[in-house]
Amino acid sequence: MQHPCAGTSWPTYQNHSLLCQHLYQASTARCQCQRSPVPLQSSTASRMALLETSKYSQGSVLGSVNPDLASERQTASFSVEKLTALLDGGTEQTRIRRAVVEVIESDPVFSRENQYFQTQNERYEAAVRKAVHLQKKMHEMGWTENGPEFKYIYRALSGDVAFLLHRVFMRSISVLGSDKQISKWIPLATQHKLIGSYAQTELGHGTYLQGLETTAVFDTATQEFILNTPKISAMKWWPGDMGRSATHTVVFAQLYIHGKCYGIHPFIVQIRSLQDHSLCPGITAGDIGPKMNFEHIDNGYLLLKNVRIPRENMLSKFCEVQPDGTYVRQGSQKINYFTMTTVRISLISDEVLTPLMKACTIAIRYSVVRRQSKLKPGEQEAKILDYQTQQEKLLPQLAAAYAFHFINDYLQELFNRGYTEIQRKNFDMLPELHALSSGFKAVITQHCTAGVEICLRACGGHGYSLLSGLPSLYTKILASCIYEGENTILLLQTARFLIKCFMAASAGQPVPPSVTYLAAVKHGRCPAKNKLDFLSPDIYTEAYQHMAVRLTSSTAAKLQDLIQSGVKKHDAWNQCTVQLVQAAKAHCHYIAVKNFAETVEKLETKAGIQKIMKHLCDLFALHGIFSNTGAFLHDGYTSAAQMDMVTASYLDLLAVIRKDAVPLVDAFDFTDKSLNSALGSYDGQVYQRLYEWAQKSPTNQMSPAYERYLKPLLHNTLSKL
């Protein structure tokens, strides 16, 4: 008899071991087959048949696909596999990513089983264990930090690993350090002979870097910098890996030479002994305590008291203090912001898009399994995704996930070009790069956080269970609105760039590519004649452009009027900040819509992908108009009648995309272990999985509270009966 795995295929997995994992095998009923990888050839029907005949626990239906979910996959209008490859950047990238996932998920050390029942200390210990084991695994597999596999490791681990700030520590040195510093520190960090952190945020200051209060005074006599925390508000607070793990950190401090302040600069500081991990002299550090999420990360605090470091420990690629105290700068003063720019772009993919994609996957799969009420008398209860209100909750979030995936590609390409120029000591792209990374970090994190919450609420009471996977996604993504720059401040930084560029464009001066549209002020009206016109990218992109120009130009005019009336510049700015934030959001929304439309235009028409992506692009754009009616009606560019057309087209799209909702989330290609959700698994066996997972809870053991409190209470009550 042929082995049941032979000749089969799976949309996500390339060998039998992963197939078994996908079928949610219990640890006590694991398949022992050791077959090598097999090609992805078979039909969806054969995959379904395999699932239907698989049972992995007595009395359980886990492994068989819920027929309501199976039926959704049989009518996909496009190739799920080819869409996955598009999202990955090609079939080879998909192959590499899946290979990484296979290695990680087949290793029991990386297991996330029972994670929802662990304490903070248990989560931290597990994260450190995984981080240490990962280094061994990378060596075993021949993976390097410069290799094609590296970028997929974090996603495969779902972020539940320690030493994440170690990466930022290394990136800071690579970007801000001299060649000599890089050659000294990067090999040590790469080999984990030290563990790094990144100490920027203080108790009293976060996004406003100029206000940081930690000091670094240069002592010419000893050729050392003396670092101090002058008051409690200057204490470093929140750096990841600092609470218990880090031995070194990059500290951002105000540089003083001969009594003169030269602003914020980065310094490498050792905080713990490499022999026994004890704190170094002058260092006070620890963990800041419990948080809403990230229990596995030891966010810490740091106080410095006369801590001396050698002159060579100031990162000096762009600025240097010479032995006699002479300060030498090369390039832009804002280069110190570049590290945060790189972090903001990377977190969009790792910390923001992934949670939204997972939340959409969980909520949409659950919404075709959950039946509630009847749409038509006499019929069975309807799938809740068949209700228009459920579609209107979830499908715009799905469209946004795709839109932001493509804008992330746009930002990454811009960053790569900018970094190449900065390496050549050309800083011309830095203002645009900073403005876009700041604005999109704010807009995308806010939108995705709201989207994950919508997905959670759309799953009703079961969504509130940790076992759904949604609460942890929400509390994790919520933090992204706060760290690496508070969103309002970031939007105002983008707005400052917009106002400056608008004034330059108005004067006929050249401006960066992303804002050339500010020079094209048009005072016409939206040309749409019927609802189908609003499915034209030219029509809705023009509407977004008009709104963005109007908000920027009107705010710039208000700012100028206030200043000309005698109001001081900083007061005038403060009186315009609400509108400035609106202008920054409009700018980013316009760029996102324009980029999505341009991306769709370039796609091949075969495999049905361009058509479904066009529907998602339309939905993303029209949802923005539908949700911000006043902004588009404000100056009469769009009429009330046209807004009715937008609404009609928008609601029509919901029904169209609903047919492909499940295949669209399947294309994200998350494994069951990655989702870690009782509601969102590929087989759709929601109720059985919720029950079986609940049995694992330690709370189902007899509690000491019975002997201490309940037993005396009950016995006392019984004696009175």
Side-chain angles (χ1 to χ4, degrees):
M1 176 183 288
Q2 186 180 41
H3 191 283
C5 303
T8 61
S9 65
W10 199 250
T12 308
Y13 310 106
Q14 292 187 299
N15 68 22
H16 173 70
S17 64
L18 277 184
L19 176 60
C20 293
Q21 292 164 36
H22 181 84
L23 297 179
Y24 189 71
Q25 51 190 321
S27 60
T28 56
R30 189 177 302 276
C31 179
Q32 300 302 312
C33 174
Q34 300 297 321
R35 292 185 60 82
S36 59
V38 294
L40 300 177
Q41 300 288 338
S42 304
S43 66
T44 299
S46 66
R47 295 195 294 268
M48 295 302 175
L50 179 60
L51 275 172
E52 293 291 355
T53 58
S54 301
K55 304 292 185 219
Y56 285 87
S57 58
Q58 186 175 3
S60 171
V61 295
L62 297 185
S64 60
V65 176
N66 184 304
D68 282 337
L69 189 52
S71 64
E72 299 284 336
R73 296 185 171 116
Q74 294 170 357
T75 57
S77 70
F78 61 93
S79 167
V80 173
E81 185 70 10
K82 289 184 178 179
L83 180 53
T84 297
L86 172 67
L87 294 174
D88 283 331
T91 54
E92 177 62 12
Q93 294 303 309
T94 298
R95 185 194 66 77
I96 294 171
R97 176 180 56 75
R98 288 173 174 170
V100 171
V101 169
E102 175 181 354
V103 169
I104 296 296
E105 294 192 349
S106 61
D107 191 322
V109 175
F110 297 122
S111 173
R112 299 171 69 212
E113 189 175 357
N114 301 326
Q115 176 179 293
Y116 296 128
F117 309 121
Q118 292 177 330
T119 66
Q120 181 178 354
N121 279 333
E122 288 171 338
R123 290 288 304 277
Y124 168 73
E125 183 177 345
V128 173
R129 181 174 65 250
K130 291 177 184 179
V132 173
H133 186 66
L134 178 61
Q135 302 313 308
K136 298 177 183 177
K137 181 63 69 174
M138 289 180 64
H139 179 74
E140 174 189 324
M141 299 301 300
W143 296 343
T144 66
E145 296 197 0
N146 296 320
E149 300 88 359
F150 187 74
K151 66 179 180 178
Y152 300 118
I153 294 173
Y154 182 83
R155 170 171 164 168
L157 291 166
S158 296
D160 293 321
V161 63
F163 312 156
L164 296 182
L165 266 289
H166 185 72
R167 296 161 61 190
V168 181
F169 172 82
M170 293 177 65
R171 189 178 298 145
S172 300
I173 295 172
S174 298
V175 173
L176 303 177
S178 65
D179 291 341
K180 186 176 181 180
Q181 289 169 327
I182 292 171
S183 64
K184 174 183 178 180
W185 293 102
I186 294 301
L188 294 173
T190 301
Q191 298 168 38
H192 282 80
K193 292 184 177 180
L194 58 83
I195 298 171
S197 184
Y198 182 87
Q200 176 177 296
T201 301
E202 297 175 355
L203 263 178
H205 287 88
T207 307
Y208 183 57
L209 296 189
Q210 297 175 46
L212 296 181
E213 298 173 297
T214 302
T215 61
V217 178
F218 184 58
D219 184 344
T220 55
T222 63
Q223 295 292 291
E224 294 173 316
F225 294 103
I226 308 170
L227 281 81
N228 275 284
T229 302
K231 51 185 176 178
I232 191 169
S233 60
M235 186 191 316
K236 297 298 182 183
W237 196 269
W238 280 110
D241 298 322
M242 180 170 286
R244 315 191 213 183
S245 305
T247 62
H248 291 68
T249 187
V250 172
V251 173
F252 281 77
Q254 300 283 0
L255 170 63
Y256 285 87
I257 307 173
H258 302 313
K260 179 181 177 181
C261 182
Y262 286 83
I264 295 296
H265 289 73
F267 303 85
I268 298 176
V269 180
Q270 182 171 349
I271 62 174
R272 288 186 176 92
S273 166
L274 293 174
Q275 275 67 49
D276 61 7
H277 212 60
S278 61
L279 293 172
C280 295
I283 299 291
T284 301
D287 191 283
I288 65 171
K291 309 170 289 284
M292 287 181 71
N293 201 315
F294 295 95
E295 298 95 334
H296 62 290
I297 299 296
D298 54 321
N299 295 89
Y301 60 82
L302 173 68
L303 290 91
L304 304 142
K305 185 175 182 180
N306 296 324
V307 176
R308 289 178 172 268
I309 61 173
R311 181 177 64 90
E312 294 77 17
N313 279 27
M314 186 182 94
L315 296 179
S316 56
K317 183 168 189 174
F318 300 102
C319 35
E320 181 183 14
V321 177
Q322 296 181 341
D324 64 354
T326 301
Y327 181 80
V328 179
R329 184 188 296 278
Q330 304 177 69
S332 170
Q333 293 186 12
K334 294 184 177 180
I335 191 60
N336 285 338
Y337 291 83
F338 188 69
T339 299
M340 294 312 302
T341 297
T342 66
V343 171
R344 285 168 188 153
I345 291 176
S346 65
L347 80 85
I348 289 173
S349 175
D350 295 339
E351 303 288 355
V352 182
L353 286 183
T354 297
L356 179 61
M357 288 175 171
K358 285 185 175 181
C360 287
T361 301
I362 294 166
I364 286 174
R365 285 178 177 172
Y366 175 69
S367 292
V368 299
V369 170
R370 179 75 167 181
R371 288 181 175 272
Q372 204 81 130
S373 271
K374 298 181 179 180
L375 274 173
K376 299 177 182 178
E379 293 189 354
Q380 66 173 326
E381 292 182 90
K383 298 178 178 181
I384 60 174
L385 194 60
D386 286 335
Y387 292 97
Q388 188 184 61
T389 49
Q390 187 78 345
Q391 296 168 15
E392 210 271 330
K393 292 173 187 175
L394 297 180
L395 300 186
Q397 314 317 318
L398 178 60
Y402 276 90
F404 294 148
H405 169 84
F406 293 127
I407 205 66
N408 183 60
D409 289 345
Y410 165 85
L411 290 173
Q412 193 62 57
E413 181 182 345
L414 185 71
F415 169 81
N416 291 339
R417 283 192 280 118
Y419 184 63
T420 300
E421 292 302 312
I422 288 172
Q423 291 289 88
R424 298 170 180 165
K425 303 296 175 69
N426 176 5
F427 302 92
D428 292 347
M429 288 184 66
L430 192 55
E432 180 183 34
L433 191 57
H434 174 66
L436 282 171
S437 66
S438 297
F440 274 112
K441 185 271 179 184
V443 167
I444 293 177
T445 56
Q446 285 180 304
H447 196 119
C448 290
T449 299
V452 171
E453 183 181 4
I454 288 169
C455 289
L456 187 156
R457 293 188 180 198
C459 292
H462 293 324
Y464 191 71
S465 168
L466 275 182
L467 303 183
S468 74
L470 291 166
S472 57
L473 288 174
Y474 176 67
T475 52
K476 185 175 184 179
I477 197 173
L478 179 61
S480 69
C481 294
I482 303 165
Y483 60 65
E484 315 304 354
E486 195 280 327
N487 281 355
T488 302
I489 302 299
L490 292 181
L491 288 167
L492 288 172
Q493 291 176 4
T494 302
R496 193 176 294 277
F497 170 78
L498 289 175
I499 296 299
K500 181 178 179 180
C501 290
F502 177 77
M503 301 304 290
S506 299
Q509 299 172 7
V511 294
S514 64
V515 288
T516 52
Y517 74 92
L518 292 175
V521 180
K522 299 178 182 179
H523 300 286
R525 295 288 183 268
C526 177
K529 299 287 192 268
N530 54 62
K531 70 175 185 178
L532 293 180
D533 286 345
F534 277 104
L535 299 180
S536 165
D538 290 341
I539 295 291
Y540 54 67
T541 301
E542 182 74 22
Y544 273 95
Q545 177 180 313
H546 178 87
M547 180 184 66
V549 172
R550 177 181 64 77
L551 287 170
T552 299
S553 61
S554 62
T555 307
K558 178 184 175 182
L559 196 59
Q560 287 297 104
D561 289 345
L562 287 170
I563 294 171
Q564 290 174 5
S565 69
V567 178
K568 293 181 179 180
K569 284 186 178 181
H570 59 271
D571 288 329
W573 180 264
N574 188 47
Q575 292 178 38
C576 294
T577 49
V578 171
Q579 289 151 298
L580 286 164
V581 165
Q582 289 178 330
K585 288 180 178 179
H587 168 69
C588 292
H589 210 159
Y590 162 62
I591 296 294
V593 169
K594 181 172 179 286
N595 179 72
F596 201 169
E598 291 174 349
T599 300
V600 170
E601 182 67 25
K602 296 173 186 175
L603 294 176
E604 296 182 4
T605 56
K606 60 184 180 182
I609 291 175
Q610 187 187 53
K611 183 176 181 180
I612 190 62
M613 288 298 103
K614 170 65 164 59
H615 290 326
L616 287 174
C617 181
D618 294 344
L619 185 69
F620 177 70
L622 296 188
H623 175 74
I625 299 174
F626 178 79
S627 303
N628 299 278
T629 305
F632 289 90
L633 286 171
H634 182 84
D635 63 349
Y637 177 82
T638 307
S639 68
Q642 288 173 325
M643 289 307 305
D644 288 339
M645 300 173 195
V646 168
T647 301
S649 289
Y650 170 61
L651 296 179
D652 288 347
L653 280 168
L654 295 177
V656 172
I657 296 172
R658 184 262 172 268
K659 300 173 185 176
D660 279 314
V662 168
L664 282 167
V665 297
D666 283 352
F668 293 147
D669 212 24
F670 292 115
T671 66
D672 285 354
K673 289 190 175 184
S674 177
L675 288 175
N676 204 18
S677 168
L679 302 189
S681 292
Y682 192 89
D683 63 15
Q685 299 296 352
V686 171
Y687 304 131
Q688 184 71 18
R689 188 169 274 105
L690 272 172
Y691 173 69
E692 293 193 7
W693 284 19
Q695 305 313 300
K696 301 177 183 180
S697 176
T699 57
N700 285 313
Q701 305 300 317
M702 180 67 76
S703 170
Y706 172 73
E707 291 291 339
R708 294 174 187 171
Y709 311 111
L710 290 177
K711 184 176 179 180
L713 173 66
L714 293 171
H715 283 208
N716 184 51
T717 304
L718 183 62
S719 65
K720 295 179 180 180
L721 293 178

